[in-house]
Amino acid sequence: MTSFDTSPQLNVWRALLALAVVFVMLATTGWTALRSHHDRTPLQASRSSWEHGHLHGHRLPDPDAAPAALSRFFASLTVQQRTDLARRYPLAVGNMNGAPVALRYRANRLALAKQRRVEAKRMHDSRLSPSGQHEAGRRMHRYEALMHPGRHILAFDPEGAGRIAEVFGNLQHAERVSVVVPGVDTDLLTFQKTNKPYSAPVGMAKSLYNAEQAADPSTRTAVIAWADYTAPAGLGIDSATAMRAKDGAVRLNALVRALPGKAPISLFCHSYGSVVCGVAAHTLPRRVADIAVAGSPGMRTEKASHLHTSAQVWSMRDATDWIQDVPYLELGGLGHGADPVSSAFGARVLSAQGAKGHGGYFEPDTESLLNFAEIGVGAYGSVRCARDNDACHAGLSGAAPTGRA
């Protein structure tokens, strides 16, 4: 530690920075939160109803109980009893880690239908401004799209900008599971895009799922488009700090610990999503075999070894990605640490040829997507390194590692 690190001037600067962060938080979200302190969100209301509910005279278990305990509870019920619980408490069941996957899909479909009706009424609510009515219409149409047959919604929370997660493939019987963790400006309305579809979570996950199937048709895979955390909005204070990442890391850890089976899990973390994965790394179970980051502003550490994870750490960045111009440092809570594609960081650096910018890593026919797919199916020996020294292959067997909880 240098004298500058302990100087009074630096301490004053840090205090002013902390005040600035608090002010921005209050200006953008805090006052609203204080104003609605006593208002329960739809999810909170559903969970509260569950907590006060009964089944044949017996109280329902704590919705925050360990996933294994909740799994045993649901396994003890009849099909009709599980269906009745999903109908009575759709948001609670739809977001309950430990509830059967198929039951969560059914519950979230019911919750989406209910919220669609809410937004349909708000579209014609004269108390709303024209922009408010327009926003209600956009949300209503998004809920309709999410309800289409064949879509599998694993998590759904309509509060605020909204949180959502969707599964591609058969999660219950998958031999390998991939989780796409997106970055800034991710919410219900940006979860899927018509323009530049592969820059949004649904397009990313669909593209990865298809690429994994092409890479190894014999391996049963599932891919989760995971936008079930409150991502930063734009490139402001939230995206420059770990505040959103810390909450996201808790939720990501809860997700992977609740996934059915024992299949190895690979995390594919884009942009600020790599900050989430970096913060979560040391808490993740050993069945998480890979943490692969693309277009990363940093992982809140100086070296891959400091993540304290048994997972293999991979990184990539396209030569035209603007993220390379972000200062790779952390000072006073701002910034996210060292550059994950630097030699000093120690990750396995992959080729991202063809990605074309910050949002192109999941575009079909790119080396970035192909590398992700090879990792997703465990074909480590087939990945393409970014550098001629082939360092990203060092110590790899080329076989899929066995995961354990």
Side-chain angles (χ1 to χ4, degrees), residues 58-133:
H58 298 284
R59 295 199 59 152
L60 298 174
D62 183 348
D64 292 320
L70 288 169
S71 179
R72 289 192 296 271
F73 164 73
F74 282 104
S76 71
L77 305 180
T78 66
V79 172
Q80 187 59 53
Q81 287 171 333
R82 289 194 289 268
T83 300
D84 288 344
L85 289 176
R87 178 180 52 80
R88 287 159 56 190
Y89 316 105
L91 277 173
V93 174
N95 291 276
M96 193 175 294
N97 290 320
V101 168
L103 188 66
R104 290 181 67 170
Y105 296 160
R106 188 178 306 130
N108 283 320
R109 185 175 181 81
L110 293 171
L112 283 162
K114 181 177 180 180
Q115 290 303 130
R116 179 199 173 281
R117 292 191 294 271
V118 169
E119 298 300 336
K121 290 181 179 178
R122 294 182 73 245
M123 285 176 61
H124 306 288
D125 190 338
S126 60
R127 295 171 297 179
L128 294 179
S129 66
S131 62
Q133 292 175 336

Side-chain angles (χ1 to χ4, degrees), residues 32 60-61 88 92 104 126 181 221 296 310 326-327 330 335-336 366 375:
T32 301
L60 298 174
R88 287 159 56 190
R104 290 181 67 170
S126 60
V181 184
T221 63
S296 174
S310 59
V326 171
E330 190 277 322
H336 301 301
T366 58
I375 292 169

Side-chain angles (χ1 to χ4, degrees), residues 232 236-243 245 271-272 274-276 279 296-302 326-331 333-340 345:
I237 288 293
D238 278 359
S239 62
T241 68
M243 182 180 69
S271 193
Y272 189 85
S274 67
V275 185
V276 176
V279 174
S296 174
M299 300 181 73
R300 303 297 295 184
T301 189
E302 295 303 308
V326 171
Y328 283 95
L329 52 82
E330 190 277 322
L331 180 63
L334 290 174
H336 301 301
D339 183 354
F345 187 78

Side-chain angles (χ1 to χ4, degrees), residues 2-19:
T2 66
S3 59
F4 177 74
D5 291 327
T6 56
S7 69
Q9 292 89 344
L10 182 58
N11 290 333
V12 170
W13 180 83
R14 284 174 172 163
L16 290 173
L17 177 62
L19 287 173

